[in-house]
Amino acid sequence: MSETTTPSPALPDIEVSADRVASVDTEPKNTFELRDVNVFYGQMLAVKDVSMAIPHNQITAFIGPSGCGKSTLLRSLNRMNDLIPGARVEGDVLYHGMDMYGPKVDPVQVRTVIGMVFQKPNPFPKSIYDNVAFGPRLQGRKGNLDDVVEEALRGAALWDEVKDRLKDNAYGMSGGQQQRLCIARAIAVQPDVILMDEPCSALDPVSTGRIEDLMAELKKTYTIVIVTHNMQQAARVADRTAFFTVLANDETGSRTGVLVEYDLTSKIFSKPDDERTENYVSGRFG
Amino acid sequence: MADEPDYSSRVALPPRTRVAVGGARDVTEALFTSGDRKKKIQGTIFLGLLLFGLSIALIAIAAMIIWAFVAGGPRLNVNLLTNVPSIVTPENAGYRTAILGTLYVIGGVILLIVPLGVGAAVYLEQFANPANKFNRFVDLNIQNLAGVPSIVFGILGLAFIVRGPLSLGFVAAAGSLTLALLVLPTVILASREAIRAVPSSIRDGSLALGATVWQAVWRQVLPAALPGILTGVILAVSRAIGEAAPLLLVGAVTFVTFNPSFFEGGYSTLPTMIYSYAKRPQEELQVLAAAGVVVMLLLLIMINSVAIYLRNRFERTW
């Protein structure tokens, strides 16, 4: 999809396409490496001591009960937490070996390389075309963006459904189409990673199935990290799965998310090492 | 009294409050459920009272409009719009200078309040940290300012704009600035409400595509909030058009028979002109004042129509 490297003074030495080619037949490289990551909201510790490596061109799923900090952790991977007053991240979040919270890193630049799809489809109240073209235009691209828009919509398996009504308002689409439009919008800026925060929780089973098929297609080009409440979904789409749980402190009333187990999806769902994981995936808890 | 509702489960309220709270809840419930007969009757009575109150307001407005048309009827012609004011020949006098004065003053108000009001609202909603003491202080004071009587703004305008630091003199610009200060809190509060009504997912969505906060606000949040902001501006400007009290203090009482200019010479506006005709004894001037009311209503409707047209053009649904 992209022959260009990512030209970014803030994120040096990321040759996206080279990595993608290399990862096809060699041992997968890691896109993210988290070392002892703590995420705070003000005084509250929301996620504690997470260490994990997220491999390239694979789908990694975060599962766990509500309030276990999986969305919080996901949002710290593209610095969306920066926008919440009082939120801060401790520990190392390495992106291709580079400290993502380093002093010279521009969070805006981070978000162009690491895209995000949200829980509820959130198209802009504009035409389908303008939704997809918004990202490229932000990057200063002017003139005719027809090719970019078509490529992104094809990439999100939406082109055939909307090619005759690109000028229509995005709010006229179904929920599933809107969510695929949001995926198209994210891939139009040619990111390296797509983070998905429960992307199917507002969708019906048919739309969900289409997005899952799409994810399998997208992982050839992108690294995908998905938060999901739906264990079957994690089992179906993810290569690796991380199970989080929540530790409640009854005295202070605080709730802190911790990573319990992180492994290949097949192992998490068949013979997990930790009893809590087994209870959760077998439906006895959560 | 067996079916007396049980309020004992509530926190101990003073009896008066308890009755009011219970009554309010019963009436509301009665309107939505087919409860027992007693509550139904109570609900109907209450609804009747509400409609009665509403009709008093409507009758008052209708009476004023009808009075203005009947009393001003003899003078409703083109001369009324094009001729200059006069108390010597009231049968030919018009409102040209006052209409122009109003348009100048209101034009100035719009130019001032839109950037200032929307800017302040954007800052407070999208950039300011609500936990910051300074921001909370600003927030509180904007709400207080919205409740300050308009005459107080007139005194402020006289002391600081006409005289004092700005020393503009009794000119239309001084009237504009004074009225702008008066309606600015309204515009800020309405714009904030409109901005807050844009789902935060729109802002997050743009940020996740690599927009800066400023780009997200300018390209997505503000366009989406525009209809609401325009509504706030319409309401604020409508209030400004009808204001006479603060303008009396900043020079709009001058009896001008020439076209006003923005920074020089005296000016008057429709409300103050109507006031200066109405307080005089001659019968013809009373007629002229009533006709002036009709002119003002038409001007108000015209300006509001433009604003509503603009609002509907930008309107969208979520």
Side-chain angles (χ1 to χ4, degrees):
Chain A
M1 151 144 205
S2 158
E3 274 124 36
T4 56
T5 56
T6 310
S8 152
L11 297 173
D13 304 320
I14 304 165
E15 299 200 350
V16 173
S17 57
D19 275 344
R20 285 173 190 160
V21 172
S23 65
V24 171
D25 47 14
T26 58
E27 185 68 16
K29 286 180 164 186
N30 291 332
T31 297
F32 291 104
E33 262 189 77
L34 280 62
R35 293 184 197 145
D36 302 323
V37 171
N38 293 310
V39 186
F40 293 87
Y41 287 132
Q43 294 298 311
M44 197 191 78
L45 180 60
V47 181
K48 188 179 152 194
D49 281 341
V50 174
S51 297
M52 64 191 297
I54 294 172
H56 206 75
N57 284 50
Q58 292 201 355
I59 299 177
T60 304
F62 292 178
I63 62 169
S66 296
C68 70
K70 50 194 192 300
S71 289
T72 302
L73 188 67
L74 187 79
R75 291 167 73 93
S76 66
L77 295 181
N78 70 342
R79 299 194 60 170
M80 283 296 279
N81 278 337
D82 288 22
L83 302 157
I84 300 167
R88 73 178 196 281
V89 175
E90 283 177 2
D92 295 330
V93 181
L94 300 182
Y95 172 69
H96 291 285
M98 193 197 65
D99 182 9
M100 221 168 69
Y101 284 81
K104 286 184 180 166
V105 177
D106 176 8
V108 172
Q109 200 68 48
V110 167
R111 289 180 213 123
T112 63
V113 183
I114 304 168
M116 190 159 194
V117 175
F118 295 83
Q119 187 168 359
K120 196 167 159 273
N122 60 344
F124 303 130
K126 295 185 167 180
S127 72
I128 294 169
Y129 186 99
D130 285 340
N131 262 279
V132 181
F134 181 71
R137 280 178 185 150
L138 278 179
Q139 296 180 338
R141 290 198 55 167
K142 296 209 166 60
N144 193 327
L145 292 168
D146 292 357
D147 295 345
V148 178
V149 171
E150 180 176 342
E151 193 180 303
L153 286 171
R154 282 190 192 282
L158 194 58
W159 175 253
D160 291 332
E161 290 162 59
V162 301
K163 63 184 175 198
D164 299 323
R165 51 185 182 117
L166 291 175
K167 296 291 170 202
D168 289 5
N169 194 302
Y171 279 64
M173 306 165 85
S174 73
Q177 287 176 326
Q178 287 186 11
Q179 194 63 300
R180 275 182 285 147
L181 177 66
C182 292
I183 295 174
R185 197 172 70 181
I187 61 185
V189 295
Q190 304 192 339
D192 175 38
V193 183
I194 301 175
L195 307 176
M196 297 185 171
D197 190 356
E198 300 185 37
C200 302
S201 63
L203 305 182
D204 62 82
V206 176
S207 306
T208 301
R210 295 184 115 165
I211 293 204
E212 288 175 3
D213 293 345
L214 176 59
M215 285 167 65
E217 195 61 36
L218 289 173
K219 77 168 185 178
K220 295 172 188 162
T221 324
Y222 310 96
T223 305
I224 295 176
V225 186
I226 176 176
V227 164
T228 178
H229 261 120
N230 180 336
M231 279 181 287
Q232 287 73 32
Q233 183 169 57
R236 282 192 300 263
V237 300
D239 299 297
R240 291 175 157 264
T241 298
F243 170 65
F244 292 82
T245 193
V246 53
L247 299 179
N249 183 332
D250 289 336
E251 281 170 31
T252 61
S254 65
R255 292 160 66 83
T256 300
V258 289
L259 175 61
V260 175
E261 191 171 356
Y262 174 47
D263 214 320
L264 292 172
T265 301
S266 52
K267 178 144 191 298
I268 292 280
F269 282 93
S270 56
K271 42 181 193 309
D273 292 332
D274 197 291
E275 195 187 346
R276 288 173 293 178
T277 315
E278 186 163 11
N279 286 343
Y280 186 78
V281 298
S282 59
R284 264 173 283 173
F285 155 71
Chain B
M1 286 290 136
D3 60 346
E4 187 76 77
D6 177 26
Y7 301 129
S8 57
S9 62
R10 311 207 152 203
V11 193
L13 294 167
R16 197 165 31 114
T17 316
R18 206 165 53 210
V19 170
V21 170
R25 194 182 61 182
D26 282 355
V27 170
T28 313
E29 281 174 357
L31 289 176
F32 288 104
T33 57
S34 50
D36 59 275
R37 227 173 98 80
K38 188 182 136 199
K39 283 186 185 172
K40 235 181 196 167
I41 292 170
Q42 278 178 351
T44 314
I45 292 172
F46 192 68
L47 194 64
L49 281 172
L50 290 179
L51 288 176
F52 178 69
L54 183 68
S55 55
I56 287 182
L58 287 178
I59 288 168
I61 292 173
M64 273 193 298
I65 293 175
I66 292 168
W67 169 82
F69 271 93
V70 171
R75 283 303 326 274
L76 289 181
N77 52 38
V78 182
N79 285 347
L80 192 69
L81 303 178
T82 55
N83 281 9
V84 295
S86 164
I87 45 170
V88 186
T89 55
E91 61 281 359
N92 278 325
Y95 278 97
R96 188 178 79 207
T97 58
I99 292 171
L100 286 172
T102 292
L103 289 177
Y104 275 35
V105 169
I106 291 306
V109 167
I110 292 173
L111 287 181
L112 284 166
I113 61 171
V114 171
L116 285 179
V118 176
V122 166
Y123 171 74
L124 287 170
E125 279 305 315
Q126 299 280 327
F127 292 90
N129 178 356
N132 182 311
K133 281 217 175 82
F134 173 74
N135 292 328
R136 268 159 51 192
F137 177 77
V138 170
D139 194 1
L140 181 70
N141 277 290
I142 289 171
Q143 299 187 31
N144 285 340
L145 277 179
V148 170
S150 59
I151 190 79
V152 175
F153 282 95
I155 297 169
L156 181 88
L158 179 64
F160 287 90
I161 297 168
V162 174
R163 300 179 187 149
L166 289 182
S167 293
L168 292 180
F170 292 112
V171 294
S176 278
L177 274 170
T178 307
L179 283 188
L181 289 180
L182 171 70
V183 298
L184 194 55
T186 315
V187 175
I188 295 174
L189 291 174
S191 304
R192 288 186 68 175
E193 209 58 48
I195 291 169
R196 212 177 301 155
V198 178
S200 63
S201 63
I202 296 295
R203 173 183 146 111
D204 284 352
S206 353
L207 294 170
L209 290 170
T212 60
V213 175
W214 171 246
Q215 284 172 322
V217 169
W218 183 248
R219 300 196 188 195
Q220 298 293 352
V221 177
L222 262 189
L226 208 55
I229 291 174
L230 277 172
T231 308
V233 172
I234 296 169
L235 292 173
V237 167
S238 305
R239 180 178 170 190
I241 290 176
E243 275 300 342
L247 289 177
L248 294 176
L249 288 171
V250 294
V253 278
T254 324
F255 199 90
V256 281
T257 50
F258 48 87
N259 290 349
S261 96
F262 201 60
F263 286 107
E264 275 175 49
Y267 70 104
S268 73
T269 63
L270 276 168
T272 51
M273 200 72 223
I274 292 167
Y275 173 69
S276 64
Y277 281 141
K279 70 183 178 185
R280 287 171 194 273
Q282 293 95 318
E283 182 67 26
E284 295 93 332
L285 292 178
Q286 302 296 323
V287 174
L288 197 55
V293 171
V294 174
V295 173
M296 204 169 108
L297 280 174
L298 290 179
L299 191 71
L300 198 65
I301 289 170
M302 258 169 51
I303 293 179
N304 279 6
S305 314
V306 172
I308 290 169
Y309 166 76
L310 284 175
R311 184 188 68 188
N312 290 346
R313 256 196 63 182
F314 294 116
E315 192 123 62
R316 47 193 116 226
T317 50
W318 295 109

